[in-house]
């Protein structure tokens, strides 16, 4: 659902609104802290959730900043016709404070031009300079 040109982020949700990642916490206390740079992800799963929220709020800059230097595209443009509607974390391996690598398997729900869809992916994460970053898809099954 991503294209390769720059795009300005949409307005972030109010800090008291529910976070798009589905934790039930307010955006300002959850992914909003990561998007603003006030905090870094403590785990691969937390980074995955914050990246999903970045897709939901159209924050391509955050997505690029949290992408491994080895696999990051130069530019990223998000499809404005996609509305991300829910996230299910299915499984994790590694990815904690005690690991340097991890995977997060998830299902992200969306609508595109009013039609529902989902993206099933097993994403790989690693630490670069002490920070969790997205590396690549281990497996993907868009529907």
């Amino acid at each position: 659902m991503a294209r390769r040109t720059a795009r300005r982020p949409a307005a972030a949700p109010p800090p008291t609104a529910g976070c798009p990642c589905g934790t039930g916490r307010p955006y300002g206390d959850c992914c909003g802290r990561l998007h603003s740079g006030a905090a870094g992800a403590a785990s691969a799963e937390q980074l995955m959730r914050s990246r999903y929220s970045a897709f939901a709020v159209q924050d391509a800059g955050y997505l690029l900043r949290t992408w491994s230097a080895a696999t990051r595209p130069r530019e990223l443009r998000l499809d404005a016709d996609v509305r991300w509607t829910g996230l299910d974390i299915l499984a994790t391996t590694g990815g904690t404070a005690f690991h340097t690598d991890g995977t997060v398997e998830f299902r992200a729900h969306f609508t595109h031009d009013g039609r529902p869809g989902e993206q099933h992916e097993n994403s790989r994460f690693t630490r670069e300079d002490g920070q969790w970053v997205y590396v690549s898809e281990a497996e993907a099954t868009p529907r």
Side-chain angles (χ1 to χ4, degrees):
M1 298 298 138
R3 298 182 187 157
R4 287 184 164 304
T5 20
R7 181 188 161 91
R8 184 177 230 184
T16 56
C19 192
C21 79
T23 59
R25 295 173 47 207
Y27 174 74
D29 294 336
C30 194
C31 294
R33 297 178 330 113
L34 281 71
H35 294 171
S36 71
S43 68
E45 180 180 338
Q46 187 179 30
L47 181 63
M48 171 55 234
R49 287 181 176 280
S50 71
R51 287 177 57 84
Y52 168 84
S53 290
F55 275 102
V57 301
Q58 300 274 308
D59 189 347
Y62 179 78
L63 293 165
L64 289 169
R65 287 191 307 277
T66 58
W67 207 315
S68 171
T71 58
R72 175 178 49 231
R74 288 188 306 189
E75 299 177 284
L76 183 66
R77 180 179 168 167
L78 304 175
D79 189 337
D81 294 329
V82 173
R83 298 285 177 248
W84 296 95
T85 58
L87 176 66
D88 301 317
I89 301 296
L90 305 174
T92 62
T93 60
T96 71
F98 303 105
H99 300 99
T100 57
D101 295 291
T103 64
V104 179
E105 182 182 4
F106 67 92
R107 184 171 294 116
H109 304 273
F110 63 88
T111 60
H112 184 255
D113 293 332
R115 291 183 302 275
E118 62 182 41
Q119 180 173 338
H120 179 208
E121 185 175 311
N122 190 9
S123 295
R124 292 187 311 130
F125 297 87
T126 194
R127 289 185 190 262
E128 289 181 3
D129 298 322
Q131 302 296 311
W132 284 107
V133 293
Y134 168 77
V135 178
S136 66
E137 298 174 30
E139 300 170 22
T141 311
R143 295 181 186 176

